[in-house]
């Protein structure tokens, strides 16, 4: 049993649990009682694996980035989640959850989305499964991620603007939860990250764990060893990170690096660097680290990246932080954009702004020539062209 | 020890118990105590005061908005307790605080219970504090301050779970009328009546109050036929918001009269 696995009650150390109103209890309980059995079922696994292979395009390559390696003086590999169908890792989870929803007999799907990647990935699998799809998206995010809004619509999903609060990801999540309360029986809520009440963090982690499962094999082939010295990922809610850390959590030789969005700077008041500015509290049904006032009101986060613009992190990551298992690094807007341009110029890959944060973390690592570093390139930058254009310094 | 006012209320009154919810610090920051006092004068049997929160997931648009306004007005947990400090000089009816867990957690549970006791708060409703966590970690603390923690049940709550909630409750059981977030509705459906009857026939230890979607005389009367009474929230918040020219006292009295089906006294 892993030291970092969720316990029976849904906790990672002191973080996690299911802090939900009674109205949500039956929905969450139904999931909790069934998810392990469903996921463990050979038929489910067969269908899941087949779709990951033929539909998503897995395994995604583990690419040795030669010029980036030269620049940083280490052996740097990129896990190419940007090559997944729909352009990011998010689809690994939505494939898993849609198959699960079907087995639970659900007819309708709801989701929240920040950058729109999870919304697109959800709309995609709903089209694939022939299920009705509603995606809640903060009104502010709809504005800054317009192409993804249209992608969802083309795929047949209804995109519903979240107009409450800060009108970003946290509010879209609130609206999705409210919708689920109002429609408990026929609807499954596909959460897009390792957040929310138990069993979501564990379930989403299991679906994303395919990332590190592949890395192990691929690295063995490339380097003759399964374990890198570093695995690096950006953390919004933490799903791409959980996926690439998963099979390395119990191996202390593998250093785990998490890049958080510092926005305009950790101390600027406009940040999403949760482990730097957060304290323990309850958000979206789990005990975790979150940015809040001393009075317990959730603080509105800020990041140039809509996908990292979230005031909390998944409870697994709060636990990895608390135990020191993962090292958290804060990357501000400016440095993330520079890292995005650098990867574009050195490797011919324009990364999602979220992923660019992970690349900037390279500057803060003390690397040796023989160090093997695996970075999760969680998504491609097509959706972020406008953000790059607005930044302009290239 | 003096008996908890909630228990006293249900000993003396087993039907048509009217409980009214409003948000602390709304519409204006310092309206809390006045609304409370007027509710008692107008004939409310119990009051629930909402602790505003930035992310009230169980609430519909009306209460969400009142939470947002109250926070903008500058309400805080500290402020609520300072507003309620002298309430027992003015009001005798039971007062329940209702709020999400995070603000209570940040305030500190012991400190929260202590302040409740000092002010004369009789109970709390914290909808997102799981009952297991409550029983294991906090119940003894709450009991030591004679503070009742009331739990919600819904049409989807299993019989077994209802029994468990009933075992661990001392006050009343909050029956959510329907699988939904808060919000005023005009009608009660056949299906809801079936659920009301089903719970009624369980003969629970605790009295039941029906809330969510209760808005007027008709829905209040119907709900009261199947339980000890009802809880009204969103409809009252709307009434507070409307007709800006009336005083708070006028708004409260005409709302309560409307719900009770009494003629408005001039
Ligand atoms: C490409 C990409 N990477 C990362 C994230 C952040 O999410 P998570 O931390 O769950 O991986 C997002 C979210 O939208 C994303 O689109």
């Amino acid at each position: 049993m892993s030291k970092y696995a969720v316990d029976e009650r849904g906790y990672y150390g002191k973080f996690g649990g299911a802090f939900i109103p009674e109205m949500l209890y039956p929905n969450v309980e139904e999931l909790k009682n069934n998810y392990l059995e469903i996921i463990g079922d050979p038929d489910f696994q067969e269908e899941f694996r087949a779709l990951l292979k033929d539909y998503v395009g897995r395994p995604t390559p583990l690419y040795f980035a030669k010029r980036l390696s030269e620049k940083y003086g280490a052996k740097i590999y990129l896990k190419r989640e940007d090559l997944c169908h729909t352009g990011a890792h998010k689809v690994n989870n939505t494939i898993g959850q849609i198959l699960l929803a079907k087995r639970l007999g659900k007819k309708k799907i709801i989701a929240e989305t920040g950058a729109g990647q999870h919304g697109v990935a959800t709309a995609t699998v709903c089209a694939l499964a022939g299920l009705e799809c509603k995606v809640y998206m903060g009104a502010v995010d709809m504005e800054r991620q317009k192409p993804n809004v249209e992608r969802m619509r083309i795929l047949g999903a209804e995109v519903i603007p979240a107009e409450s609060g800060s009108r970003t990801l946290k509010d879209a999540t609130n609206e999705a939860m409210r919708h689920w309360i109002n429609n408990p029986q026929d609807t499954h809520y596909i959460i897009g990250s390792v957040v929310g009440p138990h069993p979501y963090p564990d379930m989403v982690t299991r679906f994303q764990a395919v990332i590190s499962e592949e890395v192990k094999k691929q690295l063995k082939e490339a380097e003759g060893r399964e374990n890198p010295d570093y695995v690096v990922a950006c953390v919004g809610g933490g799903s791409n990170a959980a996926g690439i850390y998963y099979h390395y959590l119990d191996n202390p030789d593998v250093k785990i690096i998490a890049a958080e969005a510092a926005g305009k700077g950790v101390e600027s008041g406009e940040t999403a660097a949760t482990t730097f500015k957060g304290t323990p509290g309850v958000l979206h049904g789990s005990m975790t680290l979150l940015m809040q006032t001393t009075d317990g009101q959730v603080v509105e986060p800020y990041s140039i990246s809509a996908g990292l613009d979230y005031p909390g992190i998944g409870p697994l990551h709060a636990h990895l932080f608390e135990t020191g298992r993962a090292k958290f690094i804060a990357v501000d807007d400016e440095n993330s954009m520079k890292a995005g341009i650098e990867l574009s110029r050195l490797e011919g890959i324009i990364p999602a702004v979220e992923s660019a944060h992970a690349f900037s973390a390279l500057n803060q690592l003390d690397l040796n020539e023989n160090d093997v570093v695996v970075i999760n390139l969680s998504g491609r930058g097509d959706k972020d062209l406008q953000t790059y254009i607005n930044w302009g310094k290239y | 020890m003096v008996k908890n006012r909630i228990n006293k209320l249900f000993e003396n009154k087993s039907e048509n118990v009217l409980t009214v919810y409003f948000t602390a610090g709304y519409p204006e920051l310092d309206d809390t105590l006045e609304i409370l006092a007027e509710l008692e004068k107008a004939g409310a049997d119990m009051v629930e005061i909402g602790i505003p929160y930035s992310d009230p997931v169980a609430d519909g648009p009306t209460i969400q908005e009142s939470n947002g306004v109250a926070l903008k007005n500058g309400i805080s947990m500290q402020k609520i307790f300072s507003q309620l400090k002298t309430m027992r000089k003015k009001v005798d009816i039971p007062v329940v605080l209702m709020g999400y867990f995070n603000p209570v957690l940040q305030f500190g549970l012991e400190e929260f219970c202590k302040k409740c006791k000092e002010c004369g708060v009789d109970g709390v409703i914290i909808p997102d504090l799981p009952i297991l966590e409550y029983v294991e970690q906090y119940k003894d603390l709450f009991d030591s301050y004679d503070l009742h923690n009331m739990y919600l049940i819904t049409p989807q709550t299993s019989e077994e779970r209802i029994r468990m909630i009933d075992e661990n409750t001392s006050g009343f059981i909050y029956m959510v009328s329907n699988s939904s977030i808060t919000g005023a509705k005009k009608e009660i459906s056949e299906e809801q009546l079936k659920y009301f009857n089903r719970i009624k026939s369980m003969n629970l230890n605790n009295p039941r109050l029906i809330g969510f979607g209760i808005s007027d005389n008709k829905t209040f009367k119907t709900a009261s036929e199947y339980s000890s009474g009802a809880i009204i929230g969103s409809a009252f918040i709307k009434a507070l918001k409307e007709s800006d020219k009336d005083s708070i006292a006028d708004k409260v009295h005409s709302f309560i009269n409307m719900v009770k089906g009494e003629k408005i006294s001039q």
Side-chain angles (χ1 to χ4, degrees):
Chain A
M1 184 70 178
S2 163
K3 260 174 30 194
Y4 302 98
V6 79
D7 72 17
E8 249 167 53
R9 296 272 293 271
Y11 284 86
Y12 301 89
K14 66 179 195 190
F15 298 110
F19 293 80
I20 47 170
E22 189 62 31
M23 292 81 89
L24 272 181
Y25 184 84
N27 312 23
V28 170
E29 189 71 1
E30 181 185 25
L31 257 191
K32 192 186 97 182
N33 291 339
N34 292 292
Y35 84 110
L36 287 176
E37 194 178 324
I38 293 178
I39 296 175
D41 179 36
D43 285 349
F44 177 93
Q45 279 300 326
E46 193 180 319
E47 200 178 350
F48 180 53
R49 297 285 163 167
L51 283 171
L52 288 183
K53 175 169 173 282
D54 301 328
Y55 187 75
V56 175
R58 305 206 71 91
T60 58
L62 184 71
Y63 164 69
F64 176 65
K66 186 157 169 284
R67 297 187 68 208
L68 195 70
S69 295
E70 279 163 12
K71 160 107 208 254
Y72 287 96
K75 293 184 185 170
I76 301 174
Y77 286 85
L78 313 186
K79 182 58 175 165
R80 298 291 308 272
E81 294 300 298
D82 61 318
L83 295 177
C84 287
H85 177 45
T86 70
H89 70 289
K90 295 282 178 187
V91 72
N92 302 327
N93 168 44
T94 60
I95 294 267
Q97 286 203 48
I98 200 86
L99 296 180
L100 192 121
K102 274 174 56 178
R103 280 166 174 76
L104 290 173
K106 304 292 173 178
K107 300 279 177 281
K108 296 176 181 172
I109 298 296
I110 53 166
E112 85 298 334
T113 195
Q117 283 308 108
H118 173 61
V120 168
T122 304
T124 298
V125 297
C126 286
L128 183 69
L131 296 183
E132 184 189 310
C133 180
K134 286 191 167 70
V135 180
Y136 287 89
M137 185 169 190
V140 170
D141 291 337
M142 283 179 74
E143 202 48 48
R144 57 179 168 173
Q145 304 282 339
K146 268 188 197 149
N148 272 344
V149 175
E150 295 313 322
R151 284 168 83 194
M152 288 185 265
R153 288 178 176 150
I154 289 169
L155 290 160
E158 183 187 350
V159 183
I160 306 172
E163 298 283 3
S164 57
S166 56
R167 304 188 301 155
T168 60
L169 180 53
K170 106 177 152 67
D171 311 286
T173 308
N174 291 339
E175 292 299 337
M177 287 190 164
R178 289 180 185 122
H179 182 104
W180 207 22
I181 288 174
N182 289 337
N183 300 275
Q185 269 149 342
D186 62 350
T187 301
H188 175 68
Y189 176 19
I190 301 191
I191 293 187
S193 193
V194 289
V195 302
H198 177 65
Y200 277 104
D202 184 50
M203 180 171 72
V204 177
T205 297
R206 284 166 189 266
F207 291 141
Q208 294 291 359
V210 63
I211 301 174
S212 47
E213 183 187 312
E214 290 172 6
V215 172
K216 280 192 130 177
K217 283 192 206 126
Q218 294 167 320
L219 200 61
K220 177 96 185 164
E221 259 170 46
E223 288 286 332
R225 54 190 268 201
E226 285 188 340
N227 301 328
D229 297 292
Y230 294 89
V231 278
V232 185
C234 66
V235 173
S239 67
N240 86 89
I244 201 154
Y245 301 162
Y246 187 78
H247 290 284
Y248 295 120
L249 287 172
D250 288 312
N251 186 335
D253 295 339
V254 181
K255 297 182 195 72
I256 291 178
I257 309 296
E260 282 188 327
K264 295 187 177 163
V266 169
E267 300 303 334
S268 68
E270 290 181 79
T271 184
T274 305
T275 60
F276 293 83
K277 301 307 289 179
T279 49
V282 172
L283 178 67
H284 295 141
S286 75
M287 181 72 74
T288 188
L289 290 169
L290 69 127
M291 301 197 301
Q292 56 184 326
T293 65
T294 49
D295 212 35
Q297 308 294 339
V298 182
V299 167
E300 293 170 9
Y302 164 80
S303 164
I304 194 168
S305 142
L308 304 182
D309 200 351
Y310 185 69
I313 50 174
L316 165 65
H317 297 292
H319 182 55
L320 295 178
F321 173 76
E322 179 113 331
T323 55
R325 178 66 188 97
K327 180 173 155 66
F328 281 74
I329 288 176
V331 174
D332 65 17
D333 289 355
E334 189 71 14
N335 282 308
S336 73
M337 295 311 285
K338 283 185 188 155
I341 300 300
E342 181 178 82
L343 186 70
S344 306
R345 298 287 163 87
L346 288 178
E347 300 291 345
I349 299 170
I350 305 174
V353 177
E354 290 79 17
S355 321
H357 285 73
F359 285 86
S360 180
L362 285 171
N363 293 299
Q364 299 188 43
L365 300 180
D366 191 11
L367 296 172
N368 291 322
E369 219 177 315
N370 291 325
D371 283 342
V372 173
V373 181
V374 176
I375 304 184
N376 203 2
L377 176 47
S378 57
R380 57 179 176 245
D382 305 32
K383 68 179 175 61
D384 296 314
L385 274 192
Q386 200 55 51
T387 307
Y388 281 111
I389 293 166
N390 293 349
W391 182 69
K393 295 174 227 166
Y394 52 83
Chain B
M1 197 156 82
V2 206
K3 188 159 239 165
N4 187 296
R5 291 177 197 85
I6 300 170
N7 303 114
K8 249 195 298 196
L9 168 65
F10 287 106
E11 270 169 27
N12 296 327
K13 187 166 180 178
S14 58
E15 49 189 26
N16 295 313
V17 169
L18 173 59
T19 300
V20 179
Y21 168 97
F22 69 96
T23 306
Y26 178 88
E28 302 291 335
L29 180 61
D30 291 319
D31 288 343
T32 313
L33 198 52
E34 188 183 349
I35 295 173
L36 173 59
E38 290 304 328
L39 278 169
E40 177 173 74
K41 277 191 220 156
D45 297 302
M46 176 157 56
V47 167
E48 257 177 45
I49 303 177
I51 304 167
Y53 183 46
S54 55
D55 295 78
V57 286
D59 286 299
T62 307
I63 293 179
Q64 277 175 47
E65 197 207 326
S66 69
N67 277 230
V69 170
L71 288 170
K72 276 212 188 80
N73 289 344
I75 200 72
S76 65
M77 193 75 87
Q78 201 73 52
K79 196 100 204 163
I80 292 172
F81 285 122
S82 76
Q83 290 175 344
L84 299 183
K85 208 166 167 180
T86 57
M87 74 173 179
R88 286 300 168 205
K89 292 194 178 127
K90 289 189 183 164
V91 291
D92 294 321
I93 55 176
V95 171
V96 172
L97 290 184
M98 177 162 188
Y100 292 83
F101 185 45
N102 197 50
V104 176
L105 183 67
Q106 303 310 321
F107 193 74
L109 279 120
E110 171 109 47
E111 183 66 12
F112 178 77
C113 291
K114 213 164 106 193
K115 289 277 188 217
C116 282
K117 176 105 185 163
E118 276 170 29
C119 294
V121 169
D122 306 284
V124 297
I125 299 171
I126 308 174
D128 59 343
L129 171 59
I131 190 157
L132 272 183
E133 266 77 356
Y134 170 68
V135 169
E136 286 176 7
Q137 294 180 44
Y138 307 121
K139 190 171 187 304
D140 289 347
L141 178 71
F142 280 53
D143 287 348
S144 73
Y145 286 94
D146 190 27
L147 197 58
H148 291 342
N149 184 17
M150 269 74 66
Y151 272 87
L152 276 54
I153 65 171
T154 80
Q156 259 79 46
T157 310
S158 69
E159 173 161 350
E160 187 191 351
R161 189 166 164 84
I162 294 173
R163 296 269 177 224
M164 189 268 283
I165 288 170
D166 192 37
E167 283 299 307
N168 288 291
T169 298
S170 40
F172 61 87
I173 285 186
Y174 193 138
M175 276 178 69
V176 175
S177 70
N178 174 336
S179 302
S180 73
I181 54 178
T182 57
K185 293 188 188 66
K186 286 260 169 299
E187 301 286 338
I188 292 178
S189 70
E190 276 302 313
E191 205 172 312
Q192 284 175 285
L193 295 184
K194 265 195 223 149
Y195 153 64
F196 295 168
N197 259 326
R198 175 165 60 86
I199 307 302
K200 189 177 174 183
S201 65
M202 284 180 73
N203 294 315
L204 301 176
N205 303 325
N206 288 280
R208 289 157 285 115
L209 294 179
I210 295 177
F212 284 37
I214 311 301
S215 64
D216 53 16
N217 179 251
K218 192 170 136 217
T219 44
F220 175 65
K221 279 269 159 328
T222 310
S224 298
E225 278 171 37
Y226 296 85
S227 66
S228 300
I231 303 168
I232 301 187
S234 298
F236 181 61
I237 303 278
K238 276 190 190 149
L240 285 175
K241 190 180 163 184
E242 274 161 19
S243 58
D244 270 344
K245 41 200 174 316
D246 294 346
S247 69
I248 283 194
D250 289 342
K251 288 181 203 176
V252 170
H253 287 263
S254 64
F255 183 81
I256 298 296
N257 288 335
M258 179 276 288
V259 171
K260 292 193 155 188
E262 285 161 8
K263 290 244 155 47
I264 296 168
S265 51
Q266 288 301 316

